[in-house]
Amino acid sequence: MNKKTILVFLVAITAAVTYYLYEEPLPLEKRAVVEAELASQPEKYPATPVWWSDGGVLAIGMMPREAGEKRNDSATEICGILWKHDVNKTIVEVYDILQIQKSDEWTLIGAADCRRAAP
């Protein structure tokens, strides 16, 4: 093989790998449906969502529990809401809403990996 053929081959492989690894961001419509359901339960999710990252991470603000107890169970509950709306590639992070309001410091108090293969 000559250098030109090798270069074309490497470019083609790079393009194929990039295409394979690229994931579409979560559509705004799905985000809106999830946000509406979370907002319909303000006693559980008082400031939702705080932040989305292309659908890959959903950050939720919640009240902290006493003695530093984590809110992983709350994050796992949110996985159920995501799955109900066919959102299967998201990690949920729960942040202390009081810290955010007081000092704009994002203190992680819980998390759940909600990624799963689409049914």
Side-chain angles (χ1 to χ4, degrees), residues 17-90:
V17 168
T18 301
Y19 176 78
Y20 177 75
L21 294 177
Y22 178 75
E23 292 185 29
E24 292 284 324
L26 185 65
L28 294 176
E29 299 81 26
K30 283 196 177 190
R31 290 184 200 192
V33 170
V34 169
E35 289 175 22
E37 183 159 344
L38 293 171
S40 73
Q41 303 175 56
E43 66 286 348
K44 287 176 111 176
Y45 314 113
T48 56
V50 174
W51 175 72
W52 282 92
S53 172
D54 290 334
V57 176
L58 171 61
I60 304 281
M62 292 184 151
M63 299 295 287
R65 291 189 173 144
E66 291 185 30
E69 184 182 344
K70 294 290 185 185
R71 298 216 52 147
N72 295 335
D73 59 326
S74 299
T76 302
E77 279 181 31
I78 295 169
C79 290
I81 293 170
L82 294 171
W83 295 336
K84 175 180 168 183
H85 298 290
D86 198 29
V87 177
N88 300 308
K89 297 179 180 180
T90 302

Side-chain angles (χ1 to χ4, degrees), residues 6-20:
I6 292 172
L7 180 62
V8 169
F9 181 70
L10 289 174
V11 168
I13 288 176
T14 303
V17 168
T18 301
Y19 176 78
Y20 177 75

